[in-house]
Amino acid sequence: MDIGFIGLGKMGLPMARRLIEVKHQLIVFDTRQEAIDQLVKLGAQAATSPKDVADRTETVMASLPSLKASLEVATGKDGVIEGKKVKRFVDLSTVGSQMAVKIHDILQKRNIVQIDSPVSGGVTGAEKGTLAVMVSGPKADYEAVKPALDVIGKVFLISTKPGAGQTMKLANNFLSATAMVATSEAVVMGVKSGLDPKVMIDVINAGSGMNTASRDKFPRSVLPRSFDFGFATGLMVKDVRLAVEEMRSLGLSMEVAEAVGRLWEAVIRDQGPESDFTAAIKPIEKAAGVVVGGKGGVMGK
Ligand code: NAD
């Protein structure tokens, strides 16, 4: 089928590439020309704006870095909303349920269906097509886009209610954010008292403390100190803030979430929004006066 794809970054590019590989015809747009060029080389057609994409396809997907970008691309000037052919806007970005509902309501007035479809599983999941895809939207449109979404991962219909996929995604990313900082604190504690962090991670992964940070992030990006997992601190802090807001808007008091939120605010202050989110360990190390990992995975003090 013809699919529009807007936002060809760390996640969008490999997702779009997979869709091309299974012979969907892609019409792509990004504010970075080099990202468009990369996909054109693989067989996509270039568009000049979100409106241009939406003039040429019924289904427009987007993977964008901020709430503002999703709102503008969907509903702004030269946005998807102005397209002649578009029937549905599938937002693969994490924007929180309130923004998803806002975009849904604006698009509905033009008879465009918004399908919430945030994803989890990182760049590796996007490359391999093993993402968890959390969809909310009308059943008929879900059925129309499911064959394409199957190419990028395992698809779950969360609900037909707008924004529900986002609530699911925030619950997931709150856990991922918590695992990253909690594992950092645990390993820094061990290193401070003289344990080898590589041994610690091996033990944790063979034991009940195992989590996505100890299983994936520490071996690949923290112990070798490459800090290159592929998810920006700014994006993680966006998700943590959205999760805390979502809990507050439901009238919940969440003590773990508040503490995790404070830790991530310290990470973004210290490391900046462009840093890789695995750098979350650095302010915790600094406060403890230790460095975890490095050459041979052995700690320095
Ligand atoms: P990214 O910053 O690498 O990519 C975003 C892309 O959007 C860039 O290519 C940028 O040039 C483009 N863009 C920005 N504004 C635009 C606009 N107005 N019009 C067109 N293009 C525009 O971000 P990413 O890591 O790919 O993340 C995208 C979304 O996926 C975010 O919502 C993020 O929270 C979510 N996500 C990311 C990961 C991950 O591991 N990176 C995992 C799951 C979900």
Side-chain angles (χ1 to χ4, degrees), residues 67 94-102 116 118 136 158 161-174 237-254 257-258:
L67 282 65
T94 309
V95 297
S97 63
Q98 286 180 14
M99 180 53 79
V101 170
K102 182 170 176 175
D116 221 7
S136 54
I158 304 299
K161 187 178 130 196
Q166 293 290 337
T167 306
M168 181 64 243
K169 166 68 180 169
L170 294 182
N172 177 82
N173 271 36
F174 162 57
V237 170
K238 159 179 72 81
D239 295 353
V240 171
R241 285 177 186 160
L242 286 171
V244 172
E245 271 170 32
E246 184 104 6
M247 291 171 189
R248 283 202 192 117
S249 74
L250 291 167
L252 306 172
S253 132
M254 305 298 247
E258 300 277 353

Side-chain angles (χ1 to χ4, degrees), residues 9-11 30-32 63-64 93-94 119 122 230-231 235 238:
K10 291 193 186 73
M11 295 296 284
D30 193 291
T31 41
R32 292 180 305 118
S63 176
L64 294 159
S93 331
T94 309
V119 299
F231 186 45
L235 293 182
K238 159 179 72 81

